[in-house]
Amino acid sequence: MSAHKFHAPVKSLLQTIIQVFEDYIAGQCKEAFILGVLCFCGMTVLNLDYAGLISVVITFTALVLILGAYIGGAIGVLLLLFISPGKALLFLVFLIVLQQFEGNVIYLRVVGRKIGLPGIWVLVAISVGSGIMGIWGMLIGVPLTTILYQLIQKNVRKQELRISNSENTKG
């Protein structure tokens, strides 16, 4: 096997891996921003104090995978406890509902679309990854599934092109 025949597939694989991880990080940032905006809007509608501050905290802590939402929520509840336990409880309920919506709808679409992986596969990647490797599986499940998905897509396209070219030369 010549060096070029070895070099081209390795280069293509590395480019795919780098692109997937760049898109995954960009998707995570976009998703955190959307979560912060939704948090601000919801807190404003609910007339909760410190909507801007808490929403910024939620946005940045959402970048910390898995524990970020809990950290941001705890900070928000703590701040609101100083004002009113009722408002703190209302915020907590609102944040739980928002997190469920974000995790089951927004995340699957935003991150999935950014990395080119259908939402159902994002859900499968997170579920299988967490089942196999726990928290680490959740962290790397989506990018690894995306890499496999894209490599399979490239291979299928290559096979389709090969079949199409062989049919064109016969006819």
Side-chain angles (χ1 to χ4, degrees), residues 25 33 58 72 90 94 109 114 137 147 161:
I25 292 168
F33 178 76
I58 294 290
L90 180 60
F94 163 71
R109 291 179 185 211
K114 182 66 182 164
I147 292 166
L161 186 61

Side-chain angles (χ1 to χ4, degrees), residues 56-68:
V56 168
V57 169
I58 294 290
T59 300
F60 284 106
T61 59
L63 294 172
V64 177
L65 296 173
I66 297 143
L67 296 176

Side-chain angles (χ1 to χ4, degrees), residues 24 28 31 61-73 99 102 107 126 129-130 133-141:
Y24 181 67
Q28 290 290 110
E31 181 268 335
T61 59
L63 294 172
V64 177
L65 296 173
I66 297 143
L67 296 176
Y70 299 111
I71 295 168
Q99 282 293 322
E102 181 268 336
Y107 185 85
I126 292 170
S130 68
M133 295 175 54
I135 291 175
W136 289 107
M138 289 175 73
L139 294 175
I140 63 170

Side-chain angles (χ1 to χ4, degrees), residues 31-165:
E31 181 268 335
F33 178 76
I34 291 170
L35 180 63
V37 169
L38 289 175
C39 184
F40 178 78
C41 292
M43 288 183 71
T44 302
V45 167
L46 294 171
N47 199 27
L48 295 173
D49 298 292
Y50 302 122
L53 175 64
I54 292 172
S55 297
V56 168
V57 169
I58 294 290
T59 300
F60 284 106
T61 59
L63 294 172
V64 177
L65 296 173
I66 297 143
L67 296 176
Y70 299 111
I71 295 168
I75 293 169
V77 167
L78 188 63
L79 283 172
L80 290 172
L81 267 174
F82 290 116
I83 295 172
S84 161
K87 287 187 176 190
L89 181 61
L90 180 60
F91 171 73
L92 184 60
V93 170
F94 163 71
L95 190 62
I96 289 170
V97 171
L98 180 60
Q99 282 293 322
Q100 290 303 308
F101 177 71
E102 181 268 336
N104 293 316
V105 177
I106 296 172
Y107 185 85
L108 298 177
R109 291 179 185 211
V110 170
V111 174
R113 198 170 283 148
K114 182 66 182 164
I115 60 178
L117 191 64
I120 188 70
W121 287 110
V122 173
L123 186 60
V124 168
I126 292 170
S127 299
V128 172
S130 68
I132 293 173
M133 295 175 54
I135 291 175
W136 289 107
M138 289 175 73
L139 294 175
I140 63 170
V142 174
L144 288 179
T145 302
T146 304
I147 292 166
L148 290 172
Y149 183 81
Q150 288 187 8
L151 292 174
I152 290 169
Q153 264 189 331
K154 285 179 184 180
N155 193 29
V156 167
R157 279 192 222 114
K158 202 181 294 184
Q159 294 297 330
E160 287 174 344
L161 186 61
R162 192 176 306 158
I163 290 169
S164 175
N165 286 340

